[in-house]
């Protein structure tokens, strides 16, 4: 298995700096996601690894060997493109066999390996079809088979599922994970879908404007965002201005601007200091009443809006002039606008950057 | 409902009339070519192959036919090779002067043939070149090149870049990628445009008249020469041959294009 390293990599297109001073280590066997909003340089980074773009500055290394000058066709990296990029004039079988023709693989062996790849992606009976006679999901599986049949040192994905509909995307996510597990291969996966990145990756690299904003396990990124940008990238976040009224070693007490006083765990601040606090919408709860428990703050409020989203419902609750967005499972009692409710927030749910 | 049906039959009738208008003259020529009477008029007096036989004896016609075929073949082959190469560099690379080059390659399609004819003739004079067959070929190549460049570069641009990139990540170098992916995908356009180049070279008369070396005729100029004396039945026979020939060629081109083109965009058929 192969790991890959990027050192101080930079890429500029005309006046646009697509990637700036990027340092990244992908460990052998790891499934790493490059996540970020549109235009943040994910594809450019991936293409530089693939050899389809040449970095303006910096090095790309495999096993401590600089590979900047190794052309695409000698890198032995499998790549899966967003819109499959299947060869429209070749059958599924010939698409998959394509890479083997440029390697010294014997005829019988080609047949065996293509069949095996088709089995791995669970598409045994479509070998003789042209891409246009395959469904979107089948095309993506063929594209995947074509990339893995060459036994690549590295698998590169550029938003491979974004062209599929929601259900199929879910299914293919599981499939990709299974295949990655089966092959035990290093993979870099580009996506702008946070759910995809969190559910599939060993490690997530969040990018912003051509730089790395934060990297870590999915859990670390979700639980310990290092910046407001990171926090906001994984779901809806409330932000509240507050003033510290009492400080302690492991927390503080603040007064929300125009609202109630709250005890906060895990955030250190100086008394009198104005601070900005963040709170994930799904960490707050609302209900008609809650028993008084230590470690939670509760306040009275009024529901102003209520959006039914299916699994979850999004409420906006007004607490003494401060609006809180609360995401909550729709099970249980149905709450309506103008209902008086209690908002409960765990004291360790607050974040500050 | 009935108004709609009436409209539809009206449209059908109009289409039929248009086709008749376009095809009837050609049909008349073909039919009359088999008439026994030496003047090309109806009613037909009988069926005969005599005019075709006479045509086959006519050295002037045969010579012109040979000249036209060689000329069209040379011009279309040259413009296909050069045009495809030009289309490739135009659509795959960005380089200084790309815009002007594209303009230069396609503008002859807009220039009246008489201007091209006179222009190139004057250019021959300036360089002190006598009219000759190679110069005629060059002239025809200039006229047919735009078709090849336009059709082929349009097709090349329609090939998504990531298909070629996929081939390269799979281990094919640039040349292998061109041979295995780009060329097969562009082939229908290349063949279609070379056929078109062939036909338009074969057909060209205006500019050809300026460029023909002495004592040389192509089929169109030969027909013009023959028409100056009489409307001969032999001309009808020749015209009939040309019509049938071009229909067969066009049909072949269409069938070939169908067989070769595999478009992702084409709607998918029923799947099992
Ligand atoms: N070939 C190119 N020519 C010019 N600019 C480019 C080129 N490729 C990328 N860029 C620019 O570089 C920046 C990063 O692009 P990139 O494609 O890497 O973004 P991305 O993170 O993949 O976005 P998306 O999620 O929309 O795919 C963008 O501003 C883009 O416009
Ligand atoms: Mg992208």
């Amino acid at each position: 298995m192969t790991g890959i390293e990027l050192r101080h990599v930079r890429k500029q297109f005309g006046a646009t700096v697509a990637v700036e001073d990027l340092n990244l280590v992908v460990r052998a066997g790891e499934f790493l996601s490059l996540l970020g909003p549109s235009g943040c340089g994910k594809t450019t980074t991936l293409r530089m690894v693939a050899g389809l773009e040449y970095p303006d500055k910096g090095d790309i290394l495999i096993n401590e060997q600089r590979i900047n000058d190794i052309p695409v066709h000698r890198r032995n990296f499998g790549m899966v493109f967003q819109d499959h990029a299947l060869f429209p004039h070749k059958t599924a079988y010939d698409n998959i066999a394509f890479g083997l023709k440029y390697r010294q693989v014997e005829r019988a062996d080609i047949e065996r390996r293509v069949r095996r790849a088709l089995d791995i992606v669970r598409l045994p009976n479509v070998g003789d079809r042209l891409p246009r006679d395959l469904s979107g999901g089948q095309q993506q599986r063929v594209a995947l088979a074509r990339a893995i049949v060459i036994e690549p040192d590295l698998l590169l994905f550029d938003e491979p599922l974004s062209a599929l509909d929601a259900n199929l995307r879910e299914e293919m996510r599981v499939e990709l994970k299974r295949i990655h597990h089966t092959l035990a291969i290093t993979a870099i996966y580009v996506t702008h879908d946070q759910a995809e990145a969190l559910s599939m990756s060993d490690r997530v690299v969040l990018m912003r404007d051509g730089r790395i904003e934060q990297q870590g396990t999915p859990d670390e990124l979700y639980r310990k965002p290092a910046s407001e940008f990171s926090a906001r990238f994984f779901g809806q976040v409330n932000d509240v201005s507050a003033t510290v009224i009492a400080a302690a070693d492991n927390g503080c007490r603040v007064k929300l601007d125009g609202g109630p006083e709250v005890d906060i765990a895990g955030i250190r601040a100086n008394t009198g200091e104005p601070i900005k606090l963040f709170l994930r919408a799904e960490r707050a709860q609302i209900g008609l009443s809650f028993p008084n428990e230590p470690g939670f703050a509760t306040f009275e409020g009024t529901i102003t809006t209520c959006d039914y989203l299916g699994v979850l419902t999004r409420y906006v609750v007004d607490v003494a002039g401060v609006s809180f967005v609360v995401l909550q499972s729709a099970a249980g009692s149905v709450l309506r606008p103008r209902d008086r409710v209690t908002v409960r927030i765990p004291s360790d749910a607050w974040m500050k950057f | 409902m009935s108004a709609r049906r009436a409209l539809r039959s009206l449209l059908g009738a109009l289409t039929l009339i248009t086709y008749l208008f376009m095809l009837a003259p050609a049909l008349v020529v073909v039919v009359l070519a088999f008439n026994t009477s030496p003047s090309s008029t109806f009613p037909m007096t009988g069926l005969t192959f005599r005019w075709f036989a006479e045509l086959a004896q006519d050295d002037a016609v045969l010579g012109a036919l040979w000249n036209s075929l060689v000329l069209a073949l040379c011009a279309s082959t040259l413009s296909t090779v050069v045009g495809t190469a030009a289309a490739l560099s135009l659509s795959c690379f960005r380089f200084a002067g790309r815009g002007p080059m594209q303009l230069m390659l396609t503008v002859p399609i807009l220039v009246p043939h008489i201007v091209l004819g006179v222009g190139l003739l004057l250019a021959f004079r300036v360089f002190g070149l006598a009219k000759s067959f190679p110069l005629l070929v060059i002239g025809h190549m200039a006229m047919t090149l735009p078709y090849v460049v336009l059709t082929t570069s349009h097709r090349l641009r329609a090939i998504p870049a990531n298909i070629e990139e996929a081939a390269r990540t799979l281990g094919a170098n640039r040349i292998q990628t061109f041979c295995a992916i780009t060329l097969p995908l562009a082939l229908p356009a290349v063949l279609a445009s070379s056929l078109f180049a062939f036909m338009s070279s074969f057909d060209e008369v205006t500019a050809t008249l300026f460029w023909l070396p002495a004592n040389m005729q192509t089929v169109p100029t030969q027909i013009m020469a023959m028409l100056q004396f009489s409307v001969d039945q032999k001309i009808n026979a020749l015209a009939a041959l040309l019509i049938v020939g071009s229909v067969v060629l066009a049909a072949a081109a269409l069938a070939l294009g169908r067989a070769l083109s595999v478009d992702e965009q084409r709607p998918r058929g029923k799947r099992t």
Side-chain angles (χ1 to χ4, degrees):
Chain A
M1 273 192 280
T2 318
I4 188 160
E5 186 175 351
L6 278 71
R7 283 191 196 150
H8 305 293
V9 169
R10 179 194 158 91
K11 180 74 190 177
Q12 184 167 357
F13 297 104
T16 322
V17 179
V19 172
E20 177 77 289
D21 194 28
L22 192 91
N23 293 286
L24 181 64
V25 178
V26 188
R27 299 181 200 114
E30 189 173 40
F31 193 110
L32 179 125
S33 287
L34 291 178
L35 178 67
S38 188
C40 71
K42 310 178 293 288
T43 298
T44 307
T45 307
L46 197 75
R47 286 171 60 84
M48 284 192 286
V49 171
L52 293 167
E53 302 285 358
Y54 194 89
D56 298 336
K57 271 195 202 144
D59 295 324
I60 299 172
L61 302 105
I62 274 200
N63 304 331
E64 296 297 311
Q65 296 282 313
R66 188 174 179 273
I67 60 162
N68 290 35
D69 297 308
I70 297 181
V72 197
H73 62 277
R74 295 229 204 87
R75 288 200 185 185
N76 198 38
F77 296 166
M79 183 148 173
V80 182
F81 294 80
Q82 178 170 5
D83 44 7
H84 332 306
L86 292 178
F87 309 129
H89 59 304
K90 292 182 182 289
T91 60
Y93 182 96
D94 289 335
N95 262 280
I96 299 169
F98 187 85
L100 298 176
K101 299 218 180 92
Y102 299 96
R103 291 165 168 75
Q104 274 60 55
V105 181
E106 278 172 37
R107 215 150 225 260
D109 231 22
I110 290 184
E111 163 104 30
R112 192 181 54 76
R113 282 170 68 170
V114 172
R115 297 281 166 225
R116 193 175 112 77
L118 277 168
D119 277 343
I120 290 178
V121 299
R122 297 199 175 145
L123 265 187
N125 299 317
V126 302
D128 52 357
R129 295 215 206 140
L130 285 173
R132 66 157 190 258
D133 296 325
L134 297 170
S135 72
Q138 290 173 327
Q139 290 181 16
Q140 201 50 277
R141 284 169 195 260
V142 172
L144 184 62
R146 183 177 69 173
I148 61 176
V149 78
I150 59 171
E151 293 172 3
D153 295 320
L154 195 62
L155 256 181
L156 306 173
F157 298 94
D158 192 357
E159 312 211 16
L161 307 185
S162 60
L164 306 179
D165 64 45
N167 286 332
L168 202 54
R169 198 152 60 215
E170 201 86 16
E171 184 190 321
M172 283 300 291
R173 227 191 253 171
V174 178
E175 281 288 288
L176 276 181
K177 206 50 214 161
R178 177 183 63 79
I179 290 164
H180 175 250
H181 194 75
T182 314
L183 300 176
I185 200 171
T186 315
I188 305 181
Y189 189 97
V190 163
T191 179
H192 63 253
D193 180 337
Q194 46 112 351
E196 224 167 85
L198 292 180
S199 67
M200 298 174 71
S201 322
D202 297 318
R203 220 147 49 84
V204 177
V205 172
L206 181 63
M207 290 182 68
R208 175 191 192 182
D209 296 336
R211 295 167 184 275
I212 293 178
E213 178 81 5
Q214 189 179 355
Q215 51 181 309
T217 63
D219 192 57
E220 280 166 358
L221 261 88
Y222 180 75
R223 279 183 197 279
K224 302 194 190 73
S227 63
E228 183 180 344
F229 179 86
S230 296
R232 289 197 187 280
F233 207 83
F234 301 96
Q236 198 144 13
V237 172
N238 292 291
D239 58 294
V240 193
S241 302
T243 314
V244 182
I245 52 177
D249 276 351
N250 55 356
C252 56
R253 185 169 180 81
V254 303
K255 180 175 187 321
L256 305 184
D257 287 1
E261 292 181 7
V262 200
D263 280 319
I264 287 170
I267 292 177
R268 288 222 202 159
N270 300 320
T271 309
E273 183 190 349
I275 57 173
K276 200 161 185 199
L277 292 168
F278 297 88
L279 172 72
R280 289 205 184 280
E282 60 272 25
R283 298 269 347 240
Q285 286 174 285
I286 58 170
L288 294 174
S289 69
F290 290 102
N292 238 334
E293 281 176 72
F296 289 94
T298 53
F299 353 95
E300 300 290 306
T302 312
I303 296 179
T304 49
T305 59
C306 155
D307 300 314
Y308 184 66
L309 305 175
V311 182
L312 294 174
T313 307
R314 179 174 54 221
Y315 299 99
V316 180
V317 186
D318 182 77
V319 177
V322 183
S323 282
F324 283 96
V325 179
V326 179
L327 274 172
Q328 179 157 302
S329 147
S333 57
V334 182
L335 300 164
R336 305 189 175 287
R338 285 193 294 283
D339 280 358
R340 293 287 299 168
V341 289
T342 306
V343 181
R344 181 166 85 149
I345 299 167
S347 58
D348 62 355
W350 299 94
M351 301 178 286
K352 170 181 168 279
F353 306 112
Chain B
M1 193 64 211
S2 68
R4 207 162 133 188
R5 191 180 294 169
L7 196 71
R8 189 181 284 180
S9 35
L10 192 72
L11 208 66
L14 211 66
T15 312
L16 199 70
I17 291 170
T18 312
Y19 272 111
L20 265 179
F21 184 73
M22 292 195 308
L23 297 181
L27 213 64
V28 168
V29 167
V30 174
V31 171
L32 280 183
F34 294 95
N35 196 359
T36 41
S37 144
S39 65
S40 353
T41 49
F42 280 112
M44 308 245 315
T45 49
L47 280 178
T48 177
F49 280 99
R50 187 180 140 208
W51 313 117
F52 290 96
E54 270 188 30
L55 204 64
Q57 307 287 311
D58 191 325
D59 285 341
V61 169
L62 288 182
L65 196 62
W66 175 249
N67 288 341
S68 274
L69 284 175
V70 173
L71 172 62
L73 204 65
C74 289
S76 62
T77 308
L78 274 174
S79 52
T80 302
V81 173
V82 175
T84 306
L88 248 165
S89 55
L90 282 176
S91 51
C92 300
F93 305 109
R94 326 216 143 262
F95 50 89
R98 180 170 164 275
M101 179 174 158
Q102 180 146 24
L103 195 69
M104 289 268 289
L105 282 170
T106 48
V107 100
I109 218 168
L110 299 172
V111 177
H113 282 191
I114 188 148
V115 176
L116 272 180
V118 174
L120 196 60
L121 187 66
L122 289 180
F124 291 167
R125 287 273 162 78
V126 168
F127 291 110
L129 296 170
K131 293 195 221 175
S132 69
F133 187 73
L135 289 178
L136 185 63
V137 170
I138 288 175
H140 275 221
M141 185 183 139
M143 278 190 298
T144 53
L145 201 58
Y147 299 123
V148 181
V149 175
L150 280 177
T151 320
T152 307
S153 62
H154 185 262
R155 176 67 199 147
L156 284 174
R157 239 170 277 153
I159 299 175
N162 64 11
I163 288 187
E164 290 160 323
E165 288 174 352
R168 288 166 61 208
T169 62
L170 290 167
N173 63 30
R174 277 183 191 273
I175 294 167
Q176 289 164 334
T177 300
F178 177 76
C179 296
I181 306 298
T182 320
L183 194 60
L185 287 177
L187 201 60
V190 174
L191 289 180
S193 57
S194 72
L195 209 75
F196 201 74
F198 181 91
M199 304 238 280
S200 61
S201 160
F202 194 90
D203 188 50
E204 215 293 325
V205 55
T206 318
T208 309
L209 281 173
F210 289 94
W211 300 336
L212 269 180
N215 303 323
M216 192 179 205
Q217 298 287 4
T218 63
V219 170
T221 62
Q222 175 65 25
I223 291 177
M224 281 181 64
M226 285 159 80
L227 281 173
Q228 281 175 349
F229 301 109
S230 66
V231 179
D232 196 334
Q233 268 295 62
K234 266 198 298 195
I235 297 178
N236 256 343
L238 183 56
L241 280 180
L242 292 180
I243 289 166
V244 172
S246 26
V247 167
V248 167
L249 216 58
L254 213 64
L256 196 69
R258 278 268 168 78
L260 286 176
S261 84
V262 214
D263 249 319
E264 281 175 302
Q265 279 77 22
R266 214 191 290 166
R268 274 190 277 128
K270 245 214 211 132
R271 272 178 288 117
T272 44

